């Protein structure tokens, strides 16, 4: 069997685009080949910063033959007086067929025209160009570039293409370039490479310092880390990042000045890891002055590259040390003076305004959580200092250290205040650890909910992929914190507090839908709740911890016998009373049959409410389930929609109260599997 090689050579691509290509190329390719009826074996997809492509093993040299049938108009529409009508002629023309290609067959109780055609497979090299075009145009790049006179647009300008089956070039044109069997070596070598045979490609590229597969480049990096003689801090993300920006990674060991080891470790990590993509090393349990970097190219260049790294890193650390010395001349709250001149967000005031709102919201939350006076004082102090470090020199230069530097600079504050300044920013949406202390958690909730409500109030609502202020992440974090700390807070109350502080109102319909969407994800993905159960408890969105407890209780109960029958019984209560808008009823209007359910309700209601008060949703749900026999008997013996208006309204009012008891768990009617039984 044959092998087909495709390579697209470009200018350096952004890592995000490389990731996207690697994640989608093989699937898209398999789908396109199947649609093109081209059989094949294993597909090897590859990408480097300057090229991507694939090698298809055991590719068939011709398409599979195909026979297909297409239904046309009915016989009486297709023919008139035995002659083809315009309808039939149009059908034949649109399918490039002749009258002799059709036959009349029975279908759906009538006779219809059917077109049967045999497509003989074409040569693969004749089909591939259109298939390739489909694949190459399927990618969604972050920021495509235009070149030429603007007629070309792709992730980066295209230089050349290889397109060969075995030794034969498969003609193909893309972005103004024609396919050949020639590509380029590593930039350092600057050589042309002629690939004579598709199967030799990977081996030839290695000879010219191109490692085409990401996992092999990662292994090269890991091997160098293991053998470099230094205690390198584990950093899988950085290993992957370097593999995505190099074609031939080679190690460079350097060191910065010993004086800078006095800087806080987070500062060293930011300069070395985030700004210069270098691996941090340790000695005797502390960060050492040696670092491990990687260059793209031969080891012979290591001397110059090492000097370059050391020059830049020493300069950045020198700046950091200067900024720290300047910042430490003042107490942390001194920098709040600058916040009054720093805009938080257009139409939402300054950062100082933001701090004042955080303080008020956080104190309210602390009060709801029954914090004592001393703890509330710590909350207030942490809120006042929550954004102080944004006014420091260090954060101006290294914004990644927000919160971290505030915590470091708060050395004279209560330790819980200092910890809260760092922990107010965790978790990061659906990812990351939780605050270890309640103070940072409260400040984090206050900060995030202020931002979310404020943006909704001014119409900055996320839509599609647009979410410039990361409001989705903020809601995820709020919900996760509440569930992690098992805090029974009502988000509607907190939203109302934020509205009053802002002096602005939000659309609760929009905000409710936004929170529900995030809560649904957390319930299903983080807590493994079934989709229908998640949908049912979303009615409790404003009390996220209760929604989780309710979902878990329902999941446990649904495994027991009789659950579906119980839900059917409840759904009858819900559906008949949901449009009734009054809870009023009078016991003296009940007949004996009604009194049986009423008695069961009166006995069960306090048990349910007591269990719910103690957050024991499993026990409360079992009490609810005990009502099933009484509900069934009620509907078997009582005609709710009585022609007597007083009886009808009285019965609906009572059932409305019963339904309300069930609604403490969400909309359980959504759990009914057989839709036809609703009504």
């Amino acid at each position: 069997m044959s092998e087909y090689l495709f390579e697209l050579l470009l200018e350096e691509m952004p890592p995000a685009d490389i990731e996207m290509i690697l994640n989608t190329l093989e699937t898209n390719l398999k789908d396109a080949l199947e649609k093109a009826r081209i059989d094949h074996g294993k597909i090897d997809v590859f990408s480097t910063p300057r090229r991507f492509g694939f090698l298809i093993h055991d590719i068939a040299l011709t398409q599979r033959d195909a026979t297909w049938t297409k239904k046309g108009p009915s016989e009486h529409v297709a023919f008139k007086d035995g002659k083809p009508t315009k309808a039939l002629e149009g059908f034949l023309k649109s399918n490039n067929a002749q009258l002799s290609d059709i036959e009349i067959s029975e279908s759906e109780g009538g006779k219809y025209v059917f077109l049967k055609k045999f497509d003989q497979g074409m040569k693969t090299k004749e089909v591939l160009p259109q298939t390739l075009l489909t694949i190459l145009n399927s990618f969604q790049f972050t920021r495509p570039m235009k070149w030429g006179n603007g007629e070309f647009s792709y992730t980066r300008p295209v230089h050349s293409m290889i397109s060969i089956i075995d030794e034969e070039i498969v003609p193909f044109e893309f972005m103004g370039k024609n396919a050949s069997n020639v590509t380029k070596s590593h930039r350092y070598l600057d050589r042309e490479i002629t690939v004579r045979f598709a199967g030799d490609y990977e081996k030839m590229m290695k000879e010219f310092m191109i490692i085409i597969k990401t996992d092999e480049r990662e292994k090269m990096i890991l091997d160098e880390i293991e053998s470099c003689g230094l205690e390198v801090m584990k950093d899988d993300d950085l290993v992957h990042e370097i593999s995505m920006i190099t074609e031939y990674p080679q190690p460079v060991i350097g060191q910065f000045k010993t004086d800078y080891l006095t800087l806080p470790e987070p500062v060293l990590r930011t300069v070395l890891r985030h700004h210069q993509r270098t691996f941090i090393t340790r000695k005797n349990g502390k960060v050492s002055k040696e670092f491990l970097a990687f260059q793209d190219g031969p080891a012979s260049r290591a001397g110059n590259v090492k000097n370059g790294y050391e020059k830049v890193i020493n300069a950045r650390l020198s700046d950091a040390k200067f900024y720290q010395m300047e910042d430490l001349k003042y107490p942390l709250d001194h920098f709040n003076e600058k916040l009054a001149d720093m805009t938080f967000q257009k139409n939402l005031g300054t950062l100082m305004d933001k701090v004042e709102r955080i303080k008020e919201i956080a104190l309210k939350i602390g009060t709801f959580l029954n914090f004592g006076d001393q703890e509330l004082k710590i909350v207030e102090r942490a809120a006042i200092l929550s954004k102080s470090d944004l006014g420091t020199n260090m954060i101006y230069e290294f914004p990644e250290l927000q919160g971290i530097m505030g915590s470091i600079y708060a050395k004279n504050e209560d330790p819980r205040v200092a910890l809260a300044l760092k922990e107010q920013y965790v978790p990061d949406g659906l990812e990351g650890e939780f605050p270890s202390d309640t103070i940072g958690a409260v400040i984090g909730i206050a900060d995030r909910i202020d931002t979310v409500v404020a943006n909704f109030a001014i119409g900055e609502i996320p839509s599609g992929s647009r979410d410039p202020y990361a409001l989705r992440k903020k809601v995820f974090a709020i919900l996760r914190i509440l569930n992690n700390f098992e805090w029974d807070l009502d988000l509607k109350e907190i939203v109302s507090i934020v509205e009053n502080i802002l002096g602005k109102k939000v659309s609760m319909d929009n905000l409710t839908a936004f929170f529900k969407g995030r809560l649904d994800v957390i319930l299903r993905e983080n807590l493994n709740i079934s989709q229908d159960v998640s949908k049912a408890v979303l009615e409790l969105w404003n009390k996220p911890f209760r929604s989780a407890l309710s979902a878990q209780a329902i999941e446990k109960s649904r495994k027991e016998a009789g659950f579906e029958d119980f839900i059917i019984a409840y759904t009858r209560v819900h559906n008949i009373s949901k449009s009734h808008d009054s809870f009023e009823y009078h016991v003296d209007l009940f007949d004996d049959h009604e009194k049986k359910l009423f008695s069961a309700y009166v006995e069960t209601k306090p048990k349910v409410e007591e269990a719910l008060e103690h957050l024991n949703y499993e026990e409360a749900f079992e009490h609810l389930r005990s009502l099933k026999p009484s509900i069934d008997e009620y509907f078997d013996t009582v005609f709710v929609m009585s022609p007597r208006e007083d009886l009808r309204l009285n019965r609906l009012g009572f059932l409305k109260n019963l339904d309300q008891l069930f609604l403490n768990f969400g909309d359980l009617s959504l759990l009914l599997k057989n839709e036809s039984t609703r009504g």
Side-chain angles (χ1 to χ4, degrees):
M1 298 291 282
S2 295
E3 294 180 302
Y4 174 71
L5 170 68
F6 178 82
E7 180 212 72
L8 195 70
L9 182 69
L10 319 90
E11 289 294 326
E12 272 84 358
M13 296 180 285
D17 285 352
I18 300 173
E19 293 277 14
M20 182 273 298
I21 290 167
L22 289 172
N23 289 336
T24 61
L25 179 53
E26 184 173 355
T27 299
N28 291 352
L29 182 56
K30 286 180 178 178
D31 290 345
L33 291 172
E34 179 59 31
K35 187 175 181 180
R37 311 199 313 270
I38 298 174
D39 293 330
H40 60 87
K42 181 184 175 186
I43 296 175
D44 290 325
V45 169
F46 60 85
S47 184
T48 78
R50 296 180 61 215
R51 67 196 80 221
F52 70 86
F54 47 86
L55 181 66
I56 305 175
H57 301 276
D58 300 328
I59 188 169
L61 296 180
T62 58
Q63 289 178 293
R64 296 191 304 273
D65 295 337
T67 301
W68 54 272
T69 303
K70 188 171 184 179
K71 186 178 180 181
S74 62
E75 183 181 26
H76 77 271
V77 172
F79 293 96
K80 185 176 182 181
D81 300 329
K83 295 182 179 180
T85 63
K86 289 190 178 295
L88 178 56
E89 290 173 352
F91 174 69
L92 294 172
K93 184 177 180 180
S94 65
N95 288 283
N96 192 28
Q98 304 295 322
L99 190 61
S100 58
D101 295 327
I102 67 168
E103 60 181 42
I104 308 297
S105 298
E106 289 282 346
S107 177
E108 299 176 357
K111 291 187 175 183
Y112 287 83
V113 169
F114 284 89
L115 174 62
K116 284 191 175 181
K117 291 200 71 176
F118 172 76
D119 277 351
Q120 185 171 1
M122 300 169 61
K123 290 183 177 180
T124 296
K125 66 180 181 181
E126 296 173 355
V127 180
L128 275 175
Q130 185 57 49
T131 302
L132 290 172
L133 198 60
T134 300
I135 293 166
L136 295 177
N137 286 327
S138 67
F139 299 125
Q140 299 294 318
F141 298 115
T142 48
R143 291 185 179 178
M145 287 183 64
K146 291 185 177 182
W147 68 95
N149 294 320
E151 70 268 35
F152 302 122
S153 177
Y154 213 56
T155 174
R156 291 297 183 266
V158 174
H159 290 309
S160 67
M161 289 179 297
I162 292 180
S163 175
I164 55 174
I165 291 182
D166 295 333
E167 299 173 317
E168 181 182 0
I169 295 173
V170 178
F172 178 62
E173 182 181 348
F174 183 67
M175 296 290 163
K177 302 294 181 181
N178 289 307
S180 68
N181 62 351
V182 178
T183 186
K184 285 276 192 177
S185 68
H186 191 282
R187 279 194 187 279
Y188 178 78
L189 298 177
D190 195 25
R191 297 269 299 277
E192 277 195 353
I193 305 172
T194 301
V195 182
R196 303 293 182 189
F197 188 78
D200 294 338
Y201 173 76
E202 184 174 0
K203 181 181 177 182
M204 290 185 67
M205 299 306 284
K206 283 183 180 179
E207 293 174 359
F208 289 91
M209 295 172 51
I210 305 291
I211 307 300
I212 64 170
K213 294 180 179 177
T214 308
D215 57 351
E216 289 192 21
R217 297 195 297 274
E218 287 186 0
K219 186 177 184 304
M220 288 176 67
I221 295 166
L222 290 169
D223 288 346
E224 293 295 346
I225 289 173
E226 187 68 27
S227 62
C228 70
L230 299 171
E231 184 187 339
V232 179
M233 289 177 62
K234 181 179 174 62
D235 194 334
D236 293 338
D237 290 339
L238 184 55
V239 170
H240 182 67
E241 187 178 351
I242 292 173
S243 76
M244 298 296 281
I245 61 173
T246 58
E247 292 194 311
Y248 194 76
Q250 292 293 296
V252 177
I253 295 175
Q255 55 182 298
F256 55 84
K257 294 179 181 178
T258 306
D259 292 350
Y260 302 137
L261 287 172
T262 59
L263 284 166
E265 187 170 312
V267 177
L268 294 173
R269 284 202 305 267
T270 297
V271 172
L272 293 165
R273 188 330 186 169
H274 293 285
H275 286 252
Q276 297 302 316
R277 293 194 180 102
T278 60
F279 289 91
I280 301 166
T281 67
R282 287 188 178 277
K283 188 176 290 184
N284 300 323
K286 295 182 178 180
V287 173
S288 69
K289 63 182 179 180
E290 285 80 21
F291 60 82
L292 174 65
F294 281 84
Q295 61 173 329
D296 190 9
S300 59
R301 301 169 53 228
N304 289 335
V305 175
K306 170 179 174 292
N307 292 337
Y309 269 111
E310 289 180 342
K311 182 177 180 181
V312 172
I313 288 173
N314 278 304
R316 296 288 281 166
L317 292 176
S318 175
D319 290 342
K321 190 164 187 178
F322 172 77
Y323 297 139
Q324 183 185 38
M325 291 172 61
E326 290 297 304
D327 291 340
L328 288 174
K329 291 178 180 178
Y330 308 96
L332 183 56
D333 55 6
H334 163 81
F335 297 100
N336 273 18
E337 296 174 8
K338 294 185 179 181
L339 302 185
D341 297 321
M342 299 170 70
T343 300
F344 162 58
Q345 196 178 314
K346 186 179 178 182
N347 299 321
L348 294 178
T350 66
L351 277 172
M352 197 64 240
D353 297 327
K354 170 75 167 170
V355 168
E356 288 297 324
R357 295 199 299 271
I358 291 173
K359 182 180 74 173
E360 287 191 56
I361 299 165
L363 286 172
K364 287 287 186 181
I365 293 173
T367 302
F368 290 150
L369 295 173
N370 298 315
F371 283 9
D373 290 343
Q374 185 58 37
E375 199 162 19
L376 286 174
K377 288 181 181 178
I378 296 173
V379 168
E380 182 175 21
R381 184 60 177 168
I384 290 170
L385 297 176
S386 61
K387 306 302 172 189
S388 298
D389 63 356
L390 296 182
T392 65
N393 294 291
M394 187 72 85
I395 299 305
Y396 181 81
E397 187 67 22
F398 302 106
E400 305 92 341
L401 292 169
Q402 181 178 345
I404 295 172
M405 291 312 300
S407 181
I408 292 170
Y409 288 162
K411 60 179 182 291
N412 295 324
E413 300 285 341
D414 185 297
R416 294 184 73 189
V417 171
L419 181 61
L421 299 186
K422 177 173 64 175
E423 292 192 337
Q424 65 180 307
Y425 295 107
V426 296
D428 183 21
L430 280 170
E431 305 295 331
E433 299 178 356
F434 294 98
S436 62
D437 186 43
T438 56
I439 306 300
V442 168
I443 300 300
I445 291 174
D447 182 7
R448 293 178 179 96
I449 203 160
D450 171 74
T451 301
V452 172
V453 174
N455 274 280
F456 269 71
I458 63 173
E460 281 288 350
I461 301 174
S463 59
S465 61
R466 183 182 176 277
D467 188 8
Y469 303 108
L471 303 189
R472 292 186 180 95
K473 275 190 169 186
K474 288 177 172 57
V475 170
F476 278 133
I478 291 169
L479 298 174
R480 289 183 67 208
I481 291 171
L482 292 177
N483 283 333
N484 182 70
F485 281 88
E486 300 184 352
W487 282 341
D488 184 24
L489 289 177
D490 188 336
L491 290 174
K492 283 184 181 177
E493 289 185 26
I494 300 175
V495 168
S496 180
I497 290 167
V498 179
E499 286 180 321
N500 290 334
I501 295 170
L502 281 167
K504 301 176 187 290
K505 290 290 184 181
V506 301
S507 165
M508 281 307 298
D509 287 344
N510 288 337
L511 194 65
T512 296
F514 193 69
F515 270 87
K516 281 185 176 181
R518 315 287 82 74
L519 179 58
D520 184 40
V521 172
I522 286 177
L523 290 171
R524 289 187 291 107
E525 296 187 6
N526 288 22
L527 300 180
N528 297 315
I529 301 299
S530 305
Q531 185 174 9
D532 58 342
V533 175
S534 177
K535 295 297 183 188
V537 302
L538 288 182
E539 295 303 310
L540 309 178
W541 72 269
N542 55 304
K543 296 182 177 180
F545 181 50
R546 286 183 177 266
S547 74
L549 293 176
S550 178
Q552 289 164 340
I554 294 169
E555 288 284 7
K556 181 179 179 181
S557 184
R558 78 186 310 178
K559 297 174 183 176
E560 300 170 2
F563 180 82
E564 180 73 10
D565 292 337
F566 162 67
I567 295 299
I568 291 172
Y570 160 68
T571 301
R572 297 180 75 181
V573 174
H574 177 71
N575 284 349
I576 203 167
S577 65
K578 64 183 178 183
S579 299
H580 190 63
D581 57 5
S582 172
F583 290 90
E584 184 179 353
Y585 67 92
H586 301 282
V587 179
D588 56 357
L589 287 176
F590 287 163
D591 62 23
D592 290 342
H593 297 296
E594 292 176 83
K595 287 178 181 177
K596 286 185 178 180
L597 178 57
F598 174 70
S599 296
Y601 166 71
V602 170
E603 181 183 350
T604 303
K605 185 172 185 280
K607 295 178 182 178
V608 171
E609 290 176 340
E610 183 180 3
L612 291 177
E613 185 178 351
H614 293 92
L615 298 175
N616 191 339
Y617 270 73
E618 288 185 14
E619 179 184 328
F621 201 72
E622 287 308 303
H623 289 310
L624 275 190
R625 289 193 62 168
S626 71
L627 290 170
K628 179 195 175 296
S630 300
I631 293 172
D632 286 341
E633 183 178 350
Y634 179 91
F635 281 104
D636 288 342
T637 57
V638 176
F639 180 48
V640 177
M641 305 305 287
S642 170
R644 271 187 58 180
E645 184 178 16
D646 60 338
L647 292 180
R648 182 176 69 254
L649 296 179
N650 198 62
R651 290 166 181 172
L652 289 171
F654 167 62
L655 292 175
K656 189 75 172 179
N657 281 271
L658 181 57
D659 184 40
Q660 195 65 29
L661 187 62
F662 279 80
L663 288 174
N664 283 296
F665 291 83
D667 185 356
L668 302 183
S669 68
L670 296 175
L671 303 177
L672 196 59
K673 293 179 180 178
N674 186 357
E675 298 286 335
S676 64
T677 61
R678 296 190 185 187

